[in-house]
């Protein structure tokens, strides 16, 4: 897979496909061609495919764009539509998952669809909320006591601005990755 740019608005799509028997090599070539086409579109951050280790005719295609708009541009493009039409009869798409925003902070969990495991579904929102709170509450306390309490008579809006400028990058780059790694089993 290609590397990403670390932005917070990235969008990842995971597409599960069943391959027509005997057409596996054709599917791989067709998929690689699709990823090569997507690579020419603005905002493309990477992509690839995975084969299910237990079900030989099941593959997952994963690709990422910088944001919803660039992914939508790719998905609606005549280039993609032409590429999809060349793949008719090679494979059948049966599930698609799209992750963006806060969902991308959580490790994908296994999701059952027609007795097939599909990767890409985020944990339930209530688990996401608890996980975020577990990081946000203690970090907010530390920032409020360690920084905000020493800012004197600064207006509330300025104090809030300072707190969020400190909290946001710490949450995104340190706290949430650390917490989600420790809660991986529970989130899955």
């Amino acid at each position: 897979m290609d590397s990403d740019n670390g932005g917070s608005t990235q969008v990842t799509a995971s597409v599960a496909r069943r391959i027509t028997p005997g057409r596996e090599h054709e599917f791989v070539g067709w998929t690689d061609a699709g990823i090569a086409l997507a690579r020419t579109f603005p905002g493309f951050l990477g992509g690839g495919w995975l084969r299910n280790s237990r079900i030989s005719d099941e593959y997952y295609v994963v690709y990422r764009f910088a944001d919803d708009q660039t992914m939508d541009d790719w998905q609606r493009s005549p280039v993609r539509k032409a590429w999809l039409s060349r793949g008719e009869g090679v494979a059948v798409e049966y599930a698609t998952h799209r992750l963006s925003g806060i969902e991308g902070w959580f490790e994908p969990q296994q999701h059952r669809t027609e007795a097939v495991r599909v990767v890409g579904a985020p944990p339930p929102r209530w688990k996401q909320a608890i996980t975020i709170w577990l990081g946000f509450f203690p970090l907010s306390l530390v920032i409020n006591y360690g920084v905000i309490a020493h800012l004197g008579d600064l207006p509330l809006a300025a104090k809030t601005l300072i707190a969020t400028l400190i909290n946001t990058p710490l949450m995104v780059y340190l706290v949430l990755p650390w917490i989600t790694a420790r809660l991986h089993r529970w989130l899955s």
Side-chain angles (χ1 to χ4, degrees), residues 17-21 24 51-52 55-59 94:
R17 290 192 168 103
R18 286 221 187 271
I19 312 310
T20 302
E24 291 82 8
R51 183 177 180 184
N52 187 322
I55 303 170
S56 64
D57 70 340
E58 184 175 284
Y59 286 73
Y94 66 89

Side-chain angles (χ1 to χ4, degrees), residues 53-171:
S53 62
R54 293 186 338 226
I55 303 170
S56 64
D57 70 340
E58 184 175 284
Y59 286 73
Y60 305 104
V61 179
V62 179
Y63 54 94
R64 178 177 288 170
F65 278 83
D67 53 38
D68 281 314
Q69 184 59 52
T70 56
M71 181 176 283
D72 289 343
D73 290 346
W74 159 248
Q75 289 182 329
R76 287 193 288 256
S77 72
V79 170
R80 181 174 180 268
K81 287 178 182 158
W83 168 73
L84 285 172
S85 71
R86 286 194 306 275
E88 286 180 19
V90 174
V92 175
E93 180 178 320
Y94 66 89
T96 301
H97 297 281
R98 188 170 177 160
L99 295 174
S100 62
I102 198 74
E103 296 165 340
W105 298 13
F106 297 92
E107 290 291 324
Q109 68 178 5
Q110 300 297 328
H111 214 311
R112 294 255 173 213
T113 305
E114 300 172 10
V116 174
R117 291 168 34 155
V118 178
V119 176
R125 294 250 183 226
W126 67 271
K127 285 187 176 185
Q128 293 179 38
I130 290 170
T131 303
I132 292 167
W133 181 85
L134 285 172
F136 189 72
F137 178 72
L139 184 59
S140 294
L141 279 176
V142 168
I143 299 302
N144 280 316
Y145 282 117
V147 178
I148 304 304
H150 303 287
L151 294 179
D153 293 334
L154 218 56
L156 179 61
K159 289 180 180 179
T160 303
L161 174 66
I162 291 167
T164 58
L165 286 173
I166 295 170
N167 272 337
T168 302
L170 289 175
M171 284 291 290

